[in-house]
Amino acid sequence: MISLDDTIVAISTPIGAGGIGIVRMTGPDSVRILQQIFVPGPKLAASPIEPRTLHYGYIADPAAGEIVDEVLAAYMPAPRTYTRQDVVEVNGHGGIVALRRILGICLRQGARLADAGEFTARAFLNGRLDLAQAEAVVDIVQAKTEISLRAAVGQLAGRLSAQVRSVRTGLVRALAYLEASIDFEEDEIPERDIGSDLVQAVAALLQLLDDADRGIIYRQGIRAAIVGRPNVGKSSLLNRLLRTSRAIVTDIPGTTRDTLEETLNLQGVPVVLVDTAGITEGTEDPIERLGIERSRSALAQADLALLVVDASQPLTSADQAIAALVKDKTAIVVANKVDLLAAMPGTEPRAPALESPLAGAAYVPVSALTGQGLETLEETIVETVLSGQVAASDAPVVTSPRHKDALSRALDHVNAARAAQQAGELADLVAIDVSAAVHALGEITGQTASEDLVETIFSTFCIGK
């Protein structure tokens, strides 16, 4: 398990050139190390570093006897810090060489390089955050849309934790009664109907789970592969959806030879659009074959397929072959080039020449050239990935597959306990399921999380957070 006795240090800002860069330290020796390497600025007297104040000066390398960078340094004493230990932050220039020099100096003075997520892990272990709140920290860092950010901020503030604790407290009361009735069977224990506790727990868990799938989509997003035969306008569609010229577009079939990924925000849903090479059969070009293989791989990994066909032409055998690859996936048929069906002067507009190659899939006529039908396509994508749920303005409470799994297991156990209680089973049997539900809910906040689970969660964090 993570040690709390040593002092850790890391660069907490992204690697690369920038205006500022931050080196963060926490642990019992943080202040001592800062005092050894910090030199006050000109005309500033050397004195103890005042807490919660920015101090102007320099970082010096004691071994080399030279100034490394001009900085602003801050010291925040425990327990009112992110980790509930002493914390030091050195704000220097954002160059990687300067930051690594400062980091190296701190290491030579006795600090240890922090592991991934170790600062937040200490916040969890020291009781500043529960496990759900700690997970929200990385969700805030990785948020791709406003809704996913609002959901993460709400989770960090304890929105999910408060509801989980409320349910768990009710179940703990029921469990305490059951265990008392088992242990002190001969004593007169006041009667208590735990049925109402179980009913309330079921209702609360169902409410939390009701929006979980939508919340997970807002947090993780979906992958949408744009597939079709060559020259149906896949890259043009990508550019039109992104509102920028991201992919090269020409009249020459097979221009796209590799996959191209870009993230799009559709009504709060992060959608990773994957433009693919046109899928054909029997090509002798080795580069084209490799591109087709990557297209098939992208399709296999996608959550949604956008099957693009040419609305101005009849379906081809290639269209049908690609439709066969898509048939087992959630898909939308995008009938592109409807601008070519415009009426000549004095004539009626032509109808699209296509029937949908995928029975049951949404069919959206568009023009990647003019933008016609684009708004309808975007709405169809959102409606499809959210399974018809309305994209609400309120951020969902549950956004993690781990939390959904724990809530689902808790609900199953509570339902089993209700069934056992209603069937008149012994209190021992009812207590088994109530205890399992309490344990599952504790996994969310960390009260019953295993050491392996905690380490796995924090290993997904970046170093320095």
Side-chain angles (χ1 to χ4, degrees), residues 104 106 156 184 189 226 244 251 261 298 319 321-322 335 337 371 380 409 414 423 439 459:
C106 293
L156 179 62
F184 306 101
I189 298 175
I226 305 174
T244 187
D251 293 330
E261 297 185 9
D319 292 318
I322 298 168
K337 303 187 181 182
T380 303
R409 285 187 282 115
V414 175
H439 188 279
S459 69

Side-chain angles (χ1 to χ4, degrees), residues 113-456:
L113 185 64
D115 293 328
E118 191 169 357
F119 288 90
T120 306
R122 290 191 177 201
F124 164 66
L125 294 172
N126 287 323
R128 184 184 179 276
L129 303 172
D130 66 31
L131 194 55
Q133 290 174 301
E135 289 174 281
V137 172
V138 75
D139 288 348
I140 290 175
V141 174
Q142 296 177 352
K144 298 179 178 66
T145 68
E146 288 290 338
I147 292 181
S148 60
L149 176 61
R150 286 204 301 271
V153 170
Q155 185 172 316
L156 179 62
R159 184 180 172 202
L160 172 63
S161 301
Q163 296 188 44
V164 169
R165 284 200 182 94
S166 176
V167 179
R168 192 171 185 270
T169 298
L171 291 175
V172 167
R173 285 197 301 264
L175 182 60
Y177 170 78
L178 289 169
E179 291 180 342
S181 64
I182 295 168
D183 295 338
F184 306 101
E185 186 176 359
E186 297 178 357
D187 298 332
E188 292 186 4
I189 298 175
E191 286 289 332
R192 174 183 172 85
D193 179 18
I194 67 166
S196 60
D197 294 322
L198 300 180
V199 169
Q200 291 175 12
V202 168
L205 291 170
L206 285 173
Q207 185 176 6
L208 284 169
L209 285 167
D210 183 57
D211 215 20
D213 289 335
R214 185 173 69 93
I216 291 170
I217 289 173
Y218 280 132
R219 174 179 179 260
Q220 296 184 338
I222 60 126
R223 292 179 66 84
I226 305 174
V227 296
R229 59 184 171 86
N231 213 34
V232 292
K234 298 183 297 299
S235 296
S236 297
L237 179 65
L238 174 75
N239 289 341
R240 177 60 71 171
L241 286 168
L242 295 174
R243 272 74 171 179
T244 187
S245 182
R246 180 65 180 86
I248 297 174
V249 176
T250 72
D251 293 330
I252 303 171
T255 301
T256 302
R257 295 296 187 98
D258 201 353
T259 57
L260 177 66
E261 297 185 9
E262 287 292 339
T263 300
L264 178 66
N265 178 356
L266 288 184
Q267 299 180 28
V269 177
V271 179
V272 179
L273 293 171
V274 185
D275 185 24
T276 66
I279 299 176
T280 60
E281 296 181 357
T283 178
E284 298 298 327
D285 187 334
I287 298 177
E288 189 174 359
R289 281 204 307 270
L290 182 58
I292 292 171
E293 289 174 8
R294 293 191 176 184
S295 296
R296 290 173 179 267
S297 175
L299 177 59
Q301 297 172 24
D303 304 294
L304 173 69
L306 300 180
L307 174 56
V308 184
V309 293
D310 188 337
S312 67
Q313 299 177 4
L315 286 175
T316 68
S317 59
D319 292 318
Q320 299 288 5
I322 298 168
L325 297 175
V326 172
K327 67 178 182 179
D328 294 329
K329 298 192 84 62
T330 302
I332 299 171
V333 177
V334 183
N336 190 27
K337 303 187 181 182
V338 293
D339 54 287
L340 298 180
L341 304 177
M344 298 294 290
T347 65
E348 293 294 326
R350 289 187 292 154
L354 293 174
E355 294 293 334
S356 176
L358 283 175
Y363 181 89
V364 184
V366 303
S367 169
L369 180 65
T370 67
Q372 178 184 343
L374 192 70
E375 186 175 330
T376 300
L377 175 59
E378 293 175 341
E379 292 173 353
T380 303
I381 292 173
V382 173
E383 182 179 349
T384 300
V385 301
L386 293 179
S387 302
Q389 298 183 58
V390 177
S393 58
D394 291 336
V397 177
V398 180
T399 60
S400 165
R402 186 183 81 82
H403 299 162
K404 179 187 175 184
D405 174 69
L407 290 168
S408 297
R409 285 187 282 115
L411 178 60
D412 289 341
H413 285 299
V414 175
N415 280 327
R418 284 187 65 198
Q421 191 230 5
Q422 291 169 353
E425 299 284 359
L426 294 174
D428 307 60
L429 297 177
V430 180
I432 290 172
D433 276 305
V434 175
S435 177
V438 169
H439 188 279
L441 294 175
E443 290 178 10
I444 295 175
T445 55
Q447 292 160 291
T448 57
S450 68
E451 182 177 321
D452 288 343
L453 174 61
V454 171
E455 291 186 352
T456 298

Side-chain angles (χ1 to χ4, degrees), residues 24 76 79-85 87 119-124 128-129 134 137 156 461 465:
R24 173 190 277 179
M76 290 152 280
R80 293 171 57 195
T81 67
Y82 183 66
T83 63
R84 285 195 171 166
Q85 295 180 307
V87 172
F119 288 90
T120 306
R122 290 191 177 201
F124 164 66
R128 184 184 179 276
L129 303 172
V137 172
L156 179 62
F461 283 51
K465 192 55 184 170

